Amino acid sequence: MSVHKDAKRITTQVVYEMKQNGEKISMLTAYDYTMAKIVDQAGIDIILVGDSASNVMAGHETTLPITLNQMIYHAQAVVRAAKRALVVVDLPFGTYQGNSKEALNSAIRIMKESGAHAVKLEGGREIRESIERILSAGIPVMGHLGLTPQSIYKFGTYTVRAKEEVEAQVLREDAKMLSDIGCFSVVFEKIPAQLAAEVTSSMDCPTIGIGAGADCNGQVLVLHDMLGITQEFSPRFLRRYSNLGEQMLGAIKNYVQDVRASDFPSKDEQY
Ligand code: KIV
């Protein structure tokens, strides 16, 4: 019996059971209605309204500038499209760190105003109080460890995290804590595959990897990267499933040419 095939709607319980049943979890980002509709129709398990919208949608260099209102706007559009997938929304930078009451208010706004099903927060022990407060309000939480892009100015680079034993041990402890306090899943971003495998097998809740090897319980990619719409970003972990960026460029160039040559519209394309 397959847990996800039998599910009409993917819930956090389904995601949790998929791990117990040895079924891999698929997750992709989406930030708008049209893309989310295609992703949902393709049978994805989780749609992440990631704060990578800050880069992909708004053209910022980092994820830091995106606001709570902007995340809610993106989430509302995605929720309208998702008929089957679980919709998880990132709490943006500055809306949950250091103040668990503010964290809860941010999570409540996302749930109430967008209709999303869960929130994701970056970090471990330093945000434990915020996560516990959100969980206590009945809001499901996805954790995020390893390379946490909201801390890019602390790390200085986007290179692999937890290669050294000290950082690996902190990650082991944080992952266990997130699982123990009740997160329904945890993202591992850019950590050694062997560490991800070891920690995944020791945790009750599922792990979802991006640049964290094949032994996580699921995988996530940024939609525009895997479709080849964004082209400047080419890390080793990124498999491109299409070359849409080039195809779009070609199609738009053809349109421009046709307009300039008065070849569009034709007699059949007018009233
Ligand atoms: O914002 C995002 O897209 C993410 C994924 C890379 C996991 O957090």
Side-chain angles (χ1 to χ4, degrees):
M1 200 185 98
S2 158
V3 181
H4 80 280
K5 278 193 191 144
D6 290 348
K8 285 210 166 61
R9 179 105 225 180
I10 304 296
T11 61
T12 54
Q13 289 76 16
V14 169
V15 171
Y16 208 86
E17 281 167 30
M18 283 173 74
K19 172 165 179 151
Q20 322 307 322
N21 217 29
E23 294 170 36
K24 292 282 190 179
I25 301 155
S26 60
M27 176 160 115
L28 279 173
T29 61
Y31 320 105
D32 68 86
Y33 176 82
T34 308
M35 290 293 220
K37 199 167 173 194
I38 296 170
V39 172
D40 189 61
Q41 281 171 354
I44 203 81
D45 298 312
I46 306 177
I47 299 179
L48 173 67
V49 184
D51 59 359
S52 49
S54 178
N55 313 91
V56 179
M57 293 283 106
H60 291 296
E61 209 171 290
T62 72
T63 58
L64 276 66
I66 199 159
T67 65
L68 187 56
N69 283 343
Q70 287 166 340
M71 288 303 296
I72 290 170
Y73 168 80
H74 288 297
Q76 287 168 336
V78 170
V79 167
R80 275 181 221 121
K83 302 291 174 238
R84 178 181 173 277
L86 181 83
V87 179
V88 181
V89 182
D90 266 331
L91 281 192
F93 177 69
T95 66
Y96 63 94
Q97 298 97 335
N99 182 339
S100 62
K101 267 195 190 161
E102 193 186 346
L104 177 59
N105 287 339
S106 306
I108 287 176
R109 277 202 60 201
I110 285 179
M111 301 297 282
K112 234 182 160 68
E113 295 177 38
S114 76
H117 310 124
V119 295
K120 175 163 84 59
L121 284 73
E122 294 183 5
R125 60 200 69 186
E126 68 283 5
I127 56 157
R128 178 181 180 147
E129 199 184 304
S130 293
I131 294 176
E132 285 183 318
R133 203 161 195 149
I134 294 170
L135 286 168
S136 73
I139 300 172
V141 173
M142 176 182 274
H144 186 156
L145 297 172
L147 176 65
T148 45
Q150 291 179 12
S151 303
I152 186 58
Y153 292 117
K154 181 177 87 179
F155 297 143
T157 74
Y158 286 99
T159 51
V160 181
R161 304 305 313 175
K163 277 181 15 190
E164 307 302 330
E165 181 49 29
V166 176
E167 196 178 329
Q169 186 54 26
V170 171
L171 187 137
R172 282 185 195 99
E173 291 167 12
D174 282 349
K176 183 175 179 338
M177 179 274 290
L178 292 176
S179 182
D180 289 349
I181 67 174
C183 289
F184 76 94
S185 59
V186 178
V187 167
F188 285 162
E189 180 163 353
K190 259 191 152 180
I191 62 169
Q194 209 182 332
L195 176 65
E198 174 211 317
V199 183
T200 294
S201 66
S202 73
M203 283 164 70
D204 290 332
C205 86
T207 62
I208 301 181
I210 174 163
D215 290 319
C216 291
N217 302 118
Q219 297 293 327
V220 56
L221 286 175
V222 169
L223 182 67
H224 291 63
D225 295 339
M226 60 85 79
L227 290 177
I229 298 175
T230 45
Q231 283 163 344
E232 54 285 350
F233 182 65
S234 241
R236 187 201 298 192
F237 67 75
L238 174 60
R239 187 180 293 181
R240 285 202 202 284
Y241 285 83
S242 188
N243 210 346
L244 277 194
E246 267 182 25
Q247 287 183 44
M248 289 166 77
L249 194 66
I252 294 163
K253 278 184 176 172
N254 286 342
Y255 167 75
V256 171
Q257 212 172 21
D258 287 354
V259 170
R260 287 192 180 140
S262 297
D263 191 41
F264 174 81
S266 69
K267 287 242 153 46
D268 292 345
E269 289 161 327
Q270 66 188 24
Y271 299 97

